[in-house]
Amino acid sequence: MKLQYKLSVLALGVVAAGMLGSCNIYKKYETPTSTPLTKAYAEARQQPVDSTAFGNLVWEDVFTDPLLVDLINKALVNNTNLRNAQLNVEVARAQVLGAKLSYLPSVALAPNGAGASYAGSDINWTYQLPAQVSWEVDIFAKILNSKRGAQAALLQSEAYAQAARSQIISAVAQTYYSIAAVKSQLNLSRSTAELWKQSVETMRNLKLAGRVTEAAVVQSNANYYSILGSITDLETSLDKLNNTMSLLLNTLPQEWAVAENVNLTVPAMFSRGVPMCELAARPDVLAAEQNLAAAYYATNSARAAFYPGLTISFNGGFTNLLGSVVKNPGDWFYQLAGSLVAPLFSRGQNIARLKASKAQQEQAMNNFEYTLLSASAEVSDALTVYQKSLEKSGFLAEQVQNLEKSVEYTQDLLLYSTGSTTYLEVLTAQQSLLSSQISQINCDLARANAVINLYQSLGGGR
């Protein structure tokens, strides 16, 4: 009882002395509000989650194409990067468990025995069956900060896993719509090639009739071969996109089917900007904040290293070696001890560690603020592309309609009028129409990708 009393008094004395200047090492991390940006973020984190916000919609409500839904489901099951991200979460959980178990005492069993003979005497055998128990009293939150840091790392890995999930869903969707767009361009180019092939025959007939020269036939033929060359480029692009989809689904290369006339329809988009609460829901923003929290606890751990450590140990067991007497049979023994280790001089290592931790915490703060700014920029970019693509789509539709009439009029003038038009005007109209039709397909793809990017940039993919 006297020993326990003395240990208690010693522990209380150490705690009282430490509490005078070490209160900060017990404090939990709080979202910083030192700048307007982080203050707005902290306030946004206190607001209730809006389940109707675009980024909070489940992905099945955004991507409703049955073929695309099936591909996304396969990717979520098979994708290697996503599985590795999920395994990182399991690693972090194991580290949190280890940090929690650090509060428990360590127990070891170390049986040993030996024999000795002197001047021909019989061998004297000694043996011990000891159990060793050691418990570190976490007076200055060394274990506490380690546990909190591990929990922050777990939340960070979970956010990274969600970010990986969001990226996989978006990548599959973008690849799907890219395949659809290239197939549309291929179908358009092949049908246009047939029309241009007929134009070559028309020019040859007009040359025989004396209406055009050989130059018109040659130029028309060159026009036809140029579109055949562009078809090979489109076929190459389609093959690469199919291979990209195969990698996302972690399967062997194959050709992937897409629905005809795919069109990504979405809820009403924001007219101007998004609330901070939606940016705060992004997994990369959450990960950046948890990285800042982990750096905060690492700094607290570095501060705690300047304070004493109290360890209580117990040794007990069965032995026949009691002092200088060898007793046979043996008997039980036990020892109880407490040790207080206060760092006085450690060659500047604690000072260096604290300075490094403070610098790393400042880096984490800078990265956190930059992640918030980057998130805002990404959302703004996606909104701008979506809105401008809608405007451009209307203009291109009008352009295509007028160019179709231009091709029809110039061909009629060349065939049925004398001297009012030339073959160059026909070729120019044909090329302009094809270019405008390709631009229209690309504009539709850009609008779909903008929707996908916006969904991902708002943390979608749950």
Side-chain angles (χ1 to χ4, degrees):
M1 292 298 293
K2 290 183 178 180
L3 178 59
Q4 292 178 346
Y5 175 76
K6 291 180 180 179
L7 288 175
S8 300
V9 172
L10 178 62
L12 289 173
V14 172
V15 171
M19 287 294 287
L20 295 176
S22 60
C23 294
N24 193 61
I25 62 178
Y26 302 98
K27 186 178 179 182
K28 292 191 68 173
Y29 164 83
E30 295 179 355
T31 302
T33 57
S34 54
T35 66
L37 180 64
T38 56
K39 183 179 180 181
Y41 171 82
E43 293 173 352
R45 293 288 293 158
Q46 301 301 319
Q47 299 179 15
V49 177
D50 182 7
S51 59
T52 63
F54 187 47
N56 292 334
L57 296 177
V58 294
W59 66 265
E60 292 92 341
D61 291 340
V62 178
F63 307 111
T64 57
D65 187 316
L67 291 176
L68 176 56
V69 169
D70 182 59
L71 292 174
I72 292 176
N73 279 323
K74 289 180 180 178
L76 292 178
V77 172
N78 299 327
N79 186 268
T80 301
N81 291 334
L82 183 56
R83 282 191 292 174
N84 286 339
Q86 292 167 344
L87 289 173
N88 284 336
V89 174
E90 295 302 317
V91 171
R93 284 177 180 162
Q95 291 172 341
V96 170
L97 178 61
K100 290 180 178 179
L101 294 178
S102 296
Y103 284 103
L104 300 178
S106 61
V107 181
L109 183 65
N112 61 82
S117 173
Y118 302 95
S121 65
D122 294 337
I123 297 178
N124 289 325
W125 292 98
T126 61
Y127 58 85
Q128 286 186 340
L129 299 173
Q132 300 172 350
V133 180
S134 178
W135 178 45
E136 181 180 357
V137 183
D138 192 31
I139 301 176
F140 293 105
K142 296 177 182 179
I143 299 177
L144 176 63
N145 281 297
S146 177
K147 184 194 74 171
R148 288 174 174 175
Q151 290 172 334
L154 171 59
L155 294 176
Q156 182 181 13
S157 64
E158 289 176 342
Y160 278 137
Q162 173 57 33
R165 177 183 172 88
S166 179
Q167 290 171 355
I168 295 303
I169 292 172
S170 299
V172 172
Q174 287 178 335
T175 305
Y176 180 84
Y177 285 104
S178 295
I179 290 174
V182 172
K183 284 189 173 182
S184 295
Q185 292 176 358
L186 263 175
N187 292 334
L188 173 64
S189 296
R190 286 166 178 165
S191 61
T192 301
E194 290 298 319
L195 294 175
W196 288 10
K197 184 178 182 182
Q198 294 175 12
S199 294
V200 174
E201 294 300 321
T202 300
M203 291 297 177
R204 286 174 178 166
N205 292 334
L206 290 175
K207 176 181 176 295
L208 292 176
R211 297 282 303 278
V212 298
T213 64
E214 181 65 22
V217 177
V218 173
Q219 188 65 45
S220 180
N221 213 25
N223 211 33
Y224 169 65
Y225 283 111
S226 70
I227 196 171
L228 292 182
S230 68
I231 288 174
T232 62
D233 292 335
L234 289 172
E235 290 171 340
T236 300
S237 297
L238 181 60
D239 183 70
K240 290 181 178 179
L241 287 169
N242 280 319
N243 289 339
T244 299
M245 183 67 81
S246 299
L247 283 174
L248 289 171
L249 271 62
N250 198 31
T251 187
L252 293 174
Q254 56 186 284
E255 184 176 347
W256 299 96
V258 297
E260 294 183 3
N261 301 319
V262 296
N263 185 29
L264 180 57
T265 58
V266 297
M269 293 289 97
F270 307 100
S271 59
R272 192 75 177 173
V274 294
M276 173 60 78
C277 59
E278 298 195 33
L279 295 179
R282 281 176 52 128
D284 60 335
V285 172
L286 297 176
E289 186 187 12
Q290 292 307 316
N291 182 55
L292 175 59
Y296 171 83
Y297 291 126
T299 301
N300 281 357
S301 295
R303 287 193 178 101
F306 286 90
Y307 296 97
L310 176 62
T311 302
I312 297 175
S313 60
F314 170 83
N315 293 328
F318 191 77
T319 183
N320 71 336
L321 183 58
L322 299 173
S324 59
V325 179
V326 177
K327 181 180 179 181
N328 197 4
D331 206 346
W332 294 96
F333 75 96
Y334 71 90
Q335 295 174 334
L336 181 63
S339 63
L340 182 67
V341 179
L344 297 178
F345 181 72
S346 57
R347 296 175 295 181
Q349 292 182 2
N350 288 339
I351 296 175
R353 181 187 175 195
L354 180 58
K355 287 183 177 180
S357 297
K358 287 181 177 179
Q360 290 169 346
Q361 184 178 344
E362 188 174 348
Q363 286 178 332
M365 182 64 181
N366 293 337
N367 292 336
F368 173 51
E369 290 183 325
Y370 180 80
T371 301
L372 271 175
L373 292 173
S374 178
S376 178
E378 286 180 9
V379 172
S380 177
D381 289 344
L383 279 172
T384 300
V385 172
Y386 177 78
Q387 293 164 355
K388 296 305 177 183
S389 295
L390 282 176
E391 295 178 20
K392 185 177 180 180
S393 180
F395 299 147
L396 288 174
E398 291 293 334
Q399 183 185 29
V400 168
Q401 185 177 1
N402 283 277
L403 286 173
E404 287 175 342
K405 293 178 180 179
S406 174
V407 170
E408 181 183 353
Y409 293 160
T410 54
Q411 286 178 334
D412 288 345
L413 288 173
L414 181 64
L415 290 174
Y416 305 116
S417 178
T418 57
S420 59
T421 190
T422 66
Y423 71 91
L424 289 177
E425 292 176 338
V426 174
L427 296 179
T428 300
Q430 289 175 337
Q431 292 170 345
S432 297
L433 174 60
L434 177 62
S435 176
S436 181
Q437 290 170 326
I438 294 292
S439 295
Q440 192 175 32
I441 295 173
N442 288 333
C443 182
D444 292 339
L445 175 61
R447 186 172 69 252
N449 283 337
V451 173
I452 296 168
N453 289 335
L454 182 60
Y455 182 61
Q456 180 183 352
S457 64
L458 291 174
R462 292 167 178 79

